[in-house]
Amino acid sequence: MHKCLNKPFYLSNTLTYQSCVLFLHKVRVCARQRVILDIRKFVQVGGSMFSIGQHVIHPGQGVCTVVGFRDDTPQPMLLLETKQGHAQTILMYPVAQADRLHAAISQQDAEHLLSHYNELECDTFTERNSSLEETHFKQQLKLGAPETVRVAKTMMHRIRQAEEADKKPSSYYMRVLKEAKRRSIEEFAVALGVTEEDAEARLAQAALN
């Protein structure tokens, strides 16, 4: 056995094996700190868009609140709180996919939309292929208000047209209308600081005026 193997091995005559281990540990710590800083910067990107406490639209869940983030997972995660009735659930959403989140409507914009409901045009998208049409409206619902309100108004218009022609309204239209209303009510309740019952009443009143 070479006699050097029985002695501490030096790198550049300055770093021992233990020093290398300590150095690598410091590198990992610094990298971890940079990740934390990057996440904090991301959460606050675009002003208050993704700041803690901000309401955002989750593609599948609807209105959620940003409550924090985690960096101890394989990929950084935003922590989103969603409410269904009295139940509260914390979801983890990949930071890398945060561009799919949209800021919820503001109080000012919600009030403006309610007072100008009649000016909101129905969606004119039509497609013989029902699956393409369904995909279109699913994507619109993920955008939040005013698109959820537009989709609801569109479905009500198409259902009314069918009834006026003595035809049975499409069950698909009924299903989309239900989801569009749910998402709209949730978002307006948060924006206006009222209960979902009050938000539903205000939306219904706006549709009647």
Side-chain angles (χ1 to χ4, degrees):
M1 182 179 292
H2 197 281
K3 62 180 181 179
C4 290
L5 296 179
N6 296 322
K7 298 180 180 180
F9 181 69
Y10 290 87
L11 296 177
S12 301
N13 297 321
T14 55
L15 294 177
T16 63
Y17 172 78
Q18 291 81 0
S19 298
C20 290
V21 172
L22 180 59
F23 172 75
L24 292 175
H25 174 71
K26 289 182 178 180
V27 168
R28 286 194 294 268
V29 170
C30 290
R32 179 183 175 86
Q33 289 174 341
R34 283 196 296 272
V35 169
I36 293 173
L37 290 174
D38 288 343
I39 294 174
R40 286 174 177 168
K41 181 179 179 181
F42 172 82
V43 171
Q44 296 174 354
V45 74
S48 62
M49 185 173 182
F50 293 111
S51 60
I52 303 301
Q54 178 70 24
H55 300 298
V56 296
I57 306 301
H58 184 287
Q61 300 296 326
V63 179
C64 294
T65 305
V66 178
V67 295
F69 59 88
R70 290 184 60 176
D71 69 316
D72 58 346
T73 50
Q75 56 179 321
M77 294 285 184
L78 287 173
L79 299 181
L80 306 176
E81 181 183 75
T82 179
K83 296 181 180 179
Q84 295 292 337
H86 296 292
Q88 297 182 349
T89 305
I90 300 297
L91 307 174
M92 291 198 300
Y93 195 84
V95 167
Q97 299 178 21
D99 59 336
R100 300 180 185 179
L101 300 175
H102 300 275
I105 193 170
S106 66
Q107 180 179 358
Q108 181 179 357
D109 288 342
E111 293 285 4
H112 182 271
L113 183 56
L114 288 172
S115 60
H116 294 80
Y117 178 87
N118 289 334
E119 299 175 14
L120 185 67
E121 297 181 354
C122 290
D123 194 313
T124 58
F125 183 88
T126 56
E127 175 58 55
R128 290 177 180 271
N129 187 324
S130 59
S131 63
L132 292 179
E133 186 175 61
E134 184 172 0
T135 298
H136 168 76
F137 285 112
K138 280 184 177 180
Q139 292 300 319
Q140 294 304 105
L141 290 177
K142 293 178 181 180
L143 300 177
E147 294 311 313
T148 52
V149 180
R150 189 191 309 278
V151 171
K153 187 175 185 178
T154 301
M155 294 301 111
M156 288 190 289
H157 176 68
R158 294 186 181 185
I159 290 170
R160 185 164 56 251
Q161 283 183 321
E163 292 174 339
E164 290 174 351
D166 293 327
K167 296 180 180 179
K168 183 179 179 181
S170 167
S171 60
Y172 162 68
Y173 289 162
M174 301 294 287
R175 187 170 67 253
V176 174
L177 173 60
K178 182 178 180 180
E179 180 63 11
K181 280 187 172 182
R182 181 188 72 81
R183 286 177 174 254
S184 297
I185 290 169
E186 284 184 356
E187 190 169 357
F188 272 74
V190 169
L192 300 173
V194 299
T195 65
E196 291 189 4
E197 290 75 14
D198 290 340
E200 183 176 11
R202 293 198 60 180
L203 284 165
Q205 185 61 42
L208 292 175
N209 293 335

